[in-house]
Amino acid sequence: MFDAIRPAHAPADHPKVKMGRVGILLANLGTPDDYTYWPMRRYLNEFLSDRRVIDYPAWKWQPILQSIILTKRPFSSGEAYKSIWNHDQGESPLMTITKEQTAKLRDTMRTRFGDQVMVDFCMRYGNPSTKSKVRQMVAEGCDRILFFPLYPHYAGATTATANDQFFRALMEEAWQPASRTVPAYYDEPTYIAALAQSVERAYAAMDTKPDILVCSYHGMPERYLQQGDPYHCQCVKTSRLLKERLGWSGDRIISTFQSRFGPEDWLKPYTVDHVAELARQGKKNIAVIAPAFSADCIETLEEINEEIKESFEEAGGEEFTYIPCLNDDDSHIAALGTIIENNLRGWLD
């Protein structure tokens, strides 16, 4: 363990400090503490007040958010969370899975680097907060922190806002640790290989193979793309690389976008509408995968596996298979471990 010591050549009354460790801080979107009204309202208020997520002027957006959306949406969102809640652990599946991912990566990094590293996780919204985990790492002697947003694809509303919060936390430290942020890894070979393996494993268990694989990515307003956000291009490249890795040809894989919010046009095609159109075109057996999510959450377990599935079946679809996120699968942990080690070069070799 790293004990507090007095810096070399410091006077006798200098306080002892811990130093010399590297923190690896994983970050995911976040989760409410509970699915009841007030925890849901606090979570949604923090999330929907983020200017990276909703960039309307505050004078226009906040009255709508506080007086209309936050009086109704906590009830509907709470019901959705309740349907997928991990009641045994008293937490959302995203929290459970992120804990499992962190535990495995902690073991991996300690095997590789011993006590030189400290591995933990934080959430952009809700608990544990980014600020609290940065503070803890500094207190435990981390004078370098590698911050890893668990989003394969860069978007202002995911990667950028996670980094923003990390930098805000650093602003409050008297002695700031050196810091690095992990870039998007949408085309990393180990990540693509893990995705392909999950598809192959799911298909091997089926008696009849799906007509098409739908890669459903979280959506965003189209104007974000026009403003220079690379998310759409990175998603499309992931689908192409996945198809190449699987050795498939033709249109057996398509990219769609889910989770629309508000009146604007979002990235198209919309998953919920397109799966219905596939059913009407005679594609009665489809599989859906969500490559942009590192862990199963409300958008996959409830939106894809319930709402989007229902849209497909109501349009005449017969077989709908949701392929889970990579979660704490060993191939995923290995991929994340490789990315971490690559980004630690020069700090730990």
Side-chain angles (χ1 to χ4, degrees), residues 218-222 258-261 264-268 270:
H218 199 288
M220 68 162 55
E222 284 185 351
Q258 62 183 87
S259 308
R260 280 179 291 168
F261 179 82
E264 291 188 74
D265 285 336
W266 280 44
L267 297 177
K268 298 182 181 71
Y270 301 139

Side-chain angles (χ1 to χ4, degrees), residues 31-36 39-40 42-43 85 90-92 95 125-128:
T31 171
D33 294 325
D34 193 72
Y35 52 78
T36 52
M40 282 301 315
R42 285 193 297 272
Y43 174 73
W85 201 253
E91 60 193 20
S92 73
M95 179 66 75
Y125 313 104
N127 297 305

Side-chain angles (χ1 to χ4, degrees), residues 27-30 124 148-154 157-159 162 183-185 292 294:
N28 216 321
L29 181 76
R124 170 60 183 90
F148 191 174
L150 292 175
Y151 307 110
H153 310 80
Y154 176 93
T158 54
T159 308
Y185 53 97
S294 62

Side-chain angles (χ1 to χ4, degrees), residues 317-332:
E318 297 172 0
E319 294 293 330
F320 182 100
T321 301
Y322 170 61
I323 300 174
C325 292
L326 296 176
N327 295 328
D328 69 334
D329 185 83
D330 288 345
S331 64
H332 189 210

Side-chain angles (χ1 to χ4, degrees), residues 108-117 341 344 348-349:
T108 299
M109 292 298 110
R110 282 182 176 170
T111 298
R112 177 74 172 84
F113 300 112
D115 286 338
Q116 294 181 87
V117 298
E341 289 194 28
L344 286 176
L348 294 172
D349 293 312

Side-chain angles (χ1 to χ4, degrees), residues 135-157:
R135 177 85 287 277
Q136 183 180 351
M137 283 189 162
V138 172
E140 290 296 323
C142 295
D143 52 26
R144 292 151 292 170
I145 297 179
L146 178 67
F147 185 70
F148 191 174
L150 292 175
Y151 307 110
H153 310 80
Y154 176 93

Side-chain angles (χ1 to χ4, degrees), residues 29 43 47-48 53-54 73 151-155 157-158 215-221 224 229 231-232 235-236 255-261 266-271 289-294 297-300 303-304 308:
L29 181 76
Y43 174 73
F47 175 49
L48 296 176
V53 175
I54 307 291
R73 190 165 178 131
Y151 307 110
H153 310 80
Y154 176 93
T158 54
C215 292
S216 182
Y217 298 90
H218 199 288
M220 68 162 55
Y224 288 14
D229 195 300
Y231 178 75
H232 177 269
C235 292
V236 172
S255 299
T256 62
F257 299 87
Q258 62 183 87
S259 308
R260 280 179 291 168
F261 179 82
W266 280 44
L267 297 177
K268 298 182 181 71
Y270 301 139
T271 305
I289 191 172
F293 297 92
S294 62
C297 54
I298 191 74
E299 286 86 356
T300 63
E303 186 177 359
I304 292 179
I308 291 170

Side-chain angles (χ1 to χ4, degrees), residues 157-177:
T158 54
T159 308
T161 191
N163 288 339
D164 289 346
Q165 198 73 346
F166 175 56
F167 298 141
R168 290 189 194 101
L170 292 176
M171 289 172 64
E172 299 193 20
E173 292 302 320
W175 185 358
Q176 286 184 334

